[in-house]
Amino acid sequence: MTQRIDKSGRRPEPGAPRPPATFTAFGLAAEAEPIGPGLHIVATPIGNLRDVSFRALATLAAADAVLAEDTRVTRTLLMHYGITTPLVAYHDHSNEAVRDRMVARMKAGEALALVSDAGTPLVSDPGFKLVQAAIEADLPVTPIPGPSAVMTAIVAAGLPTDRFFFEGFLPQKAGARRNRLAALGSVPGTLVLFESPHRLPEMLADAAETLGATRPAAVARELTKLYETVRRGTLGSLGALFAEEGPPKGEVVVVIGAAPEEPPSEDSDAALDAAIQAALERHSIKDAASLVADETGQPRRLVYGRALALARRGPDAS
C-alpha cells in the first residue's frame, strides 16, 4: 500500500494504523470515508476551484494515489483543499507498462483516483486505455461526476441541446480541417468543438465556408473563470469578429448549430403518405402515426396531422 504523508510531512511508522484521510473546505476539516479498491474517475473544476464536489474531494483524499495528467496542475487543487494524497503522473505518453503497474496496485487492494488537468477525464484527455485495462482485469470503475467544459459551453450557447455531437479538436492542417468539417455538416444536432485560441480565427473562417456563413454559433472562452465570455452570432459574423480582433486568450469551446432541415421533396411526401396509408389499414390513427414516426424519424406531430388528413379522405386518397 502507498503510505500517506501526514500534515507534518512525516510518513507513518511501518505497521502503524493509517491515519484518517481528510480534506478542508470552508475553513473546516472533514474526514473522508474509506473508498473501495479500483479506479475512481474524478471530475475536477475547469477553472473555478469552487466547482469541485464534496464527493470528489472525499474521493481524492481517501484514494491511495491520484493519477494526474499534469501533477503540477492537480497539486494546486489538492493543496487548496488540504489533501495530501500522493500524485502519480498518468498522461498520453504513459505506456502499457505503466498501466500494468496501476492495475497491479488496484488488484492488491488500492483505490486509485484518475483526474485530468480540468473537467471530466477521458473527454479529449488521456485515460481511456487505463479504464479499459481496469475493466478487462474485472476491477471496479467508479465515475465521480462533475464539471465538464462540453456541457458548460452548450448550456450557455443558446443553441438547441436536445441532440449534440462532441467532436473535440479538429485537425490542425487546413485541408484536413475542412474535410472533417464537411463530414460533420450533415450531423443532425448541435456540434461542440475544442479549439486552440491561435487557430480560432482560421477555423471559424473554414467553418463558415464549409458549413455556411449563416449557421448559428457561439464561442465560449475561459468558462467559469474571471474573464469568462460567450460570443454568439453566426459562423460568418464570429469569423469576421475574431479575424479583426485576433486570437483570444484562454481555453476555447466552439458550439455550432445543426444544419437547417431541408424541405421534403414530392417523392418523400409520397413515400410518407404510402407508409401512413399502409399503417392505417391495421392501426388507429394515433397508433399508425406513432409507428410511422418511429420508422421514418419524422416529427410525430407532422405524421399525425398527415394521418388525420388521409383518414378523412378515405382509403383511396393519394
Side-chain angles (χ1 to χ4, degrees), residues 46-48 152 197 219-230 248-253:
I46 61 176
N48 193 319
T152 304
V219 175
R221 167 184 162 273
E222 291 292 87
L223 288 168
T224 77
K225 300 177 184 177
L226 180 61
Y227 296 106
E228 171 184 288
T229 56
V230 181
K249 294 180 180 180
E251 303 292 331
V252 171
V253 184

Side-chain angles (χ1 to χ4, degrees), residues 225-266:
K225 300 177 184 177
L226 180 61
Y227 296 106
E228 171 184 288
T229 56
V230 181
R231 313 288 280 273
R232 304 174 183 89
T234 63
L235 285 173
S237 66
L238 290 170
L241 175 69
F242 285 100
E244 181 180 352
E245 290 186 357
K249 294 180 180 180
E251 303 292 331
V252 171
V253 184
V254 179
V255 185
I256 302 173
E261 293 185 6
E262 296 182 2
S265 65
E266 291 184 8

